[in-house]
Amino acid sequence: MQESPPCQLSFQNLYRSFGRLAVLRGVSGEVSTGQTLLVTGANGSGKSTLLKCLAGLMVPDRGEISYRQDNTQLDARERRLAIGYVAPDLSFYEELTVEENLLFFARLRRTSEDRIGHLLERVNLPPDRSAGTLSSGMLQRLRWCFALLHQPRLLLLDEPFQNLDSPGQDATRSLLEQHLDEGLAVTANPGLLELPHVAHHLQLAG
Amino acid sequence: MSHTTSSWLAEAFAVFAKEWRTEFRTRYALNTLGLFAITSLVVVSISLGPLGAATAERTTVMPVLLWVLLLFAVAAGLPRAFVHEEESRTATALRLSATPSALFTGKLLYSWTVVLALELIVTPLFVAMMHLPVANPGLLALALVLGGYGLAAGGTLVAAIIAQARSSGTLFSVLALPVLLPLLVLAIELSRAAIAGDFVPVVPRQLLLYDASVTVAGLLLFPAVWNP
C-alpha cells in the first residue's frame, strides 16, 4: 500500500484574550502523523479556545499556526475545511434525520456519500432517527461521524468521549486508532485519558 | 463546465435543498411571511379598497402599498436566514464544511424562491381586492421577479451581517433600509408603469444593475462576514 506524505501541525506562542481575560498565554506544541497531542487543564484553562484556533474557527491575537498536509502548507481557511472536529458546541439540524444531516455535509464537503453507512454502523447510530430526538450520547456519536466523513488527516477532539457509554467509547477509540494509521490528532480533556499513540502532553494552566 | 464549477453549484444546490427541506418540516418562513402579508393586505383593502382611493391616485398609491407590504413581510422572515444557524449552533458545522460563496448563493436562491412564492400569493389577491386594473401584466411580473430578487439578495446580505449580533431584528431594519431603498424606488416605478401602461425601458435595466451589484457585493463581502 502506498503511504501518504506525512502531516505536521505546529503552533508557537499562541495568545488569545476575551476582553481583559487572557485565556491563552504563549501556548506552543506540535504533533505529526501517527501521533496524538493530549491537551489537559481545568475548566476555563483555554483547551477549547486552543482547538478553535487550530481549527481556524477563531483567530489568535498573536502566535503562529502551521499545518502541512500532503506536502502543502494550508492557511486557516483551507485548514478549516480539511480538518475533522468534535466538540460539545457542534450541533446539527434537528428537523433532519441523522442520515440526512450527514448527506448534507458530505455534499458540502464534496466527498463520497458511501462512507456514511459504514460510519453509522461503526458507532451504532440509527440513520432514520431525527437529530432533534437524539440523546446526548447519540449526538456525540453523530459528531464523530461528522468529523470523519471526509477522511481528514487532522482530527481536533474537544472532550471526545463526553456522554458516551462504554460501547460508544470503545467504538470511537477504535475509529481514532484507525485514523492514526495515516493521520494525527489533538485531544483536549480536563483530565488524563487512555488514548492511542500519545506523543506529547500539554498541560494548560487555569 | 469545469469540475470545480459543477462542484460549487452542487454545494450551493445542497444548501438550497436543505433550506427547503427544513422549511417544509417547520413551515416557519412561509407561515410568518404569509400571515403577515395576508393580514396587512386585509387591513389595506378595508381602508383603501376599491372605494377608498380616487382612480387618479390609485396608479401612484397602489404600487407603493404593494411593495411596502412585501418589504415588511420579507423583513419579518428573512433575517432568520443566518440567525437561526447561530442560535441553533449549526453555524460551526457549516463553517467547517461549506465554501462561503456557495453557502451565500444557496441561501440567496432559497430566499428568492420564498419571496417569489409570497409574491405569487399576495399580488393576485392585492390586484383582486383593490379592483386594480393592470395595463401591462407582463411588466408587473418582471417588476416582481427583479424586485423580488433584489429584496432576497439585499435581505440575505444584511441577514449575514447581523447573524452574530444581539438585537438582530432591530439591526436588520436599520441596515436593510439604506440597502433596499434604491431597489424599492425602482420596483415601485416599474410596477407603476405596468399598472398605468407607460413603459420606461431604463427602469428594468437599473433594477437588473441593482440586482447584479448586490449579488457581487454579497459574494465578495460574505466570506469576510461569515468567517472569523
Side-chain angles (χ1 to χ4, degrees), chain B:
Chain B
M1 201 188 302
S2 73
H3 174 67
T4 314
T5 313
S6 65
S7 300
W8 183 89
L9 284 174
E11 216 180 317
F13 182 75
V15 174
F16 173 76
K18 185 275 292 176
E19 291 293 322
W20 269 114
R21 182 168 284 171
T22 51
E23 178 56 33
F24 277 129
R25 288 179 192 176
T26 60
R27 295 195 183 87
Y28 177 83
L30 288 179
N31 283 349
T32 310
L33 270 71
L35 277 175
F36 190 96
I38 301 290
T39 311
S40 313
L41 184 60
V42 170
V43 171
V44 168
S45 78
I46 290 171
S47 311
L48 287 173
L51 304 172
T55 314
E57 294 167 356
R58 294 160 67 78
T59 314
T60 320
V61 173
M62 292 308 162
V64 178
L65 283 174
L66 174 65
W67 280 100
V68 167
L69 201 145
L70 288 172
L71 171 72
F72 282 4
V74 164
L78 278 197
R80 300 281 302 164
F82 291 96
V83 171
H84 183 66
E85 302 282 3
E86 295 290 346
E87 284 176 354
S88 59
R89 301 199 300 178
T90 47
T92 304
L94 269 184
R95 286 194 175 94
L96 291 165
S97 313
T99 310
S101 56
L103 173 63
F104 179 80
T105 307
K107 290 267 188 188
L108 165 58
L109 288 178
Y110 163 73
S111 299
W112 189 27
T113 49
V114 168
V115 174
L116 284 177
L118 179 75
E119 289 175 341
L120 208 62
I121 297 164
V122 169
T123 313
L125 280 176
F126 184 86
V127 169
M129 288 167 87
M130 298 295 180
H131 291 202
L132 189 66
V134 180
N136 191 343
L139 195 59
L140 183 63
L142 183 70
L144 290 168
V145 170
L146 294 180
Y149 181 86
L151 270 185
T156 306
L157 176 60
V158 176
I161 293 169
I162 59 152
Q164 291 175 72
R166 289 176 196 156
S167 314
S168 51
T170 317
L171 206 54
F172 182 87
S173 309
V174 172
L175 291 179
L177 182 70
V179 175
L180 297 177
L181 196 62
L183 165 87
L184 289 170
V185 171
L186 292 170
I188 288 168
E189 177 53 30
L190 195 59
S191 306
R192 193 202 58 74
I195 292 166
D198 53 350
F199 178 53
V200 185
V202 75
V203 182
R205 275 186 232 137
Q206 287 172 331
L207 254 181
L208 261 177
L209 190 65
Y210 174 91
D211 289 353
S213 308
V214 176
T215 307
V216 171
L219 288 170
L220 291 175
L221 287 175
F222 183 70
V225 171
W226 177 246
N227 289 329

Side-chain angles (χ1 to χ4, degrees), chain A residues 57 80 91 93 95 100 110, chain B residues 11 25 85 89 227-228:
Chain A
L57 290 168
R80 187 166 51 242
S91 293
Y93 296 99
E95 305 85 359
E100 285 169 345
R110 305 171 194 189
Chain B
E11 216 180 317
R25 288 179 192 176
E85 302 282 3
R89 301 199 300 178
N227 289 329

